[in-house]
Amino acid sequence: MRPQPLLTGLAALTLAAACTRTAAPPSADHASPSASAGYDAPSLRELAVTDADLGPGWHVTVMQPGQGDITSPPQTADAPACQPVLDALAPAKGSAGPLAEADLDIARTADDRASLYTAILAFRPGRAAVVHTELDQVLIRCRVFTSGAGRHVITRLDTPTPEGADAATAFTLTNETGGATLTQRALLTRTGDILTVFTTLDTTGHEPAAPDAEVIKRQLGKLQPPRGPGSGGGAGR
């Protein structure tokens, strides 16, 4: 049985950034579907990849809200700049948060390291750019910190922006508690007003595998606005 992800450590770190007050200007980019539609969770799930999108060997499970989350008592980081990481363990979703969220477990048969936990977050127009900027600021200010739960290490990774995204950030989050080590690797992409967090994890002390490039391509392709006649090939080809 595969360990459940600490979704609240990565996807919810994005949600914690969503509740900050910094006002970064949105950039001109893809007109994502969420910009003109009031999405709820069911409609957002329609933008998620399926078994048929990925082909043989892959299985996509839509997770219920909160499934796979790991809760813990409130804790205090020894470095104030890192407190948002711990606050993300129980994020408060307010008016600055996402309009809707869809969580997926994307697994490849007999290959746990290829599995992806994916969160798709739709925001009101312009808000996703602010959230992405805030997350980048947390990663700059916070590298290593300790709390009552142990030692935590955040490492930003160089990454190109995948096709179909306007911006991307990659990082790892390692938690060392009571002799156990849990390392998560995340790729956060922004497509218009939608943020997608692709996460892999490892509990054996090794670096997690990079999120599967084909899964990322297929998922980002489904977030593109429809193309009109004569506009060329569709996304995800």
Side-chain angles (χ1 to χ4, degrees):
M1 182 176 183
R2 293 186 299 115
Q4 288 296 313
L6 210 168
L7 286 177
T8 46
L10 294 175
L13 176 55
T14 303
L15 294 176
C19 296
T20 62
R21 298 182 179 179
T22 299
S27 59
D29 42 41
H30 292 91
S32 93
S34 68
S36 59
Y39 269 95
D40 56 14
S43 58
L44 188 62
R45 284 196 290 267
E46 293 181 3
L47 299 178
V49 293
T50 64
D51 295 5
D53 294 322
L54 299 178
W58 287 99
H59 179 64
V60 180
T61 301
V62 178
M63 303 173 69
Q64 296 303 312
Q67 182 181 353
D69 288 355
I70 301 174
T71 59
S72 63
Q75 299 177 45
T76 301
D78 63 345
C82 298
Q83 189 61 39
V85 180
L86 295 181
D87 292 342
L89 293 173
K93 299 183 182 180
S95 60
L99 297 172
E101 176 178 357
D103 296 325
L104 311 173
D105 179 0
I106 305 175
R108 176 179 284 172
T109 304
D111 188 355
D112 290 349
R113 283 177 59 82
S115 298
L116 279 175
Y117 299 96
T118 302
I120 307 171
L121 310 168
F123 291 82
R124 57 187 45 81
R127 185 60 190 164
V130 177
V131 174
H132 192 185
T133 298
E134 283 298 328
L135 178 63
D136 282 343
Q137 290 301 312
V138 171
L139 296 179
I140 291 172
R141 297 191 301 262
C142 181
R143 303 292 180 83
V144 180
F145 67 99
T146 59
S147 69
R151 183 172 181 265
H152 315 272
V153 180
I154 300 177
T155 304
R156 183 163 185 162
L157 305 173
D158 291 332
T159 186
T161 299
E163 180 182 355
D166 301 307
T169 298
F171 60 98
T172 61
L173 172 61
T174 299
N175 298 296
E176 301 171 352
T177 305
T181 299
L182 171 66
T183 302
Q184 300 171 88
R185 178 168 177 162
L187 172 67
L188 170 74
T189 65
R190 183 175 64 81
T191 304
D193 296 306
I194 293 180
L195 297 179
T196 307
V197 188
F198 302 93
T199 307
T200 58
L201 72 159
D202 184 270
T203 59
T204 65
H206 297 89
E207 182 176 343
D212 187 272
E214 187 63 21
V215 172
I216 294 169
K217 176 182 176 181
R218 298 288 177 177
Q219 179 58 75
L220 294 181
K222 297 197 71 169
L223 301 181
Q224 300 302 305
R227 299 189 178 194
S231 60
R237 284 192 175 183

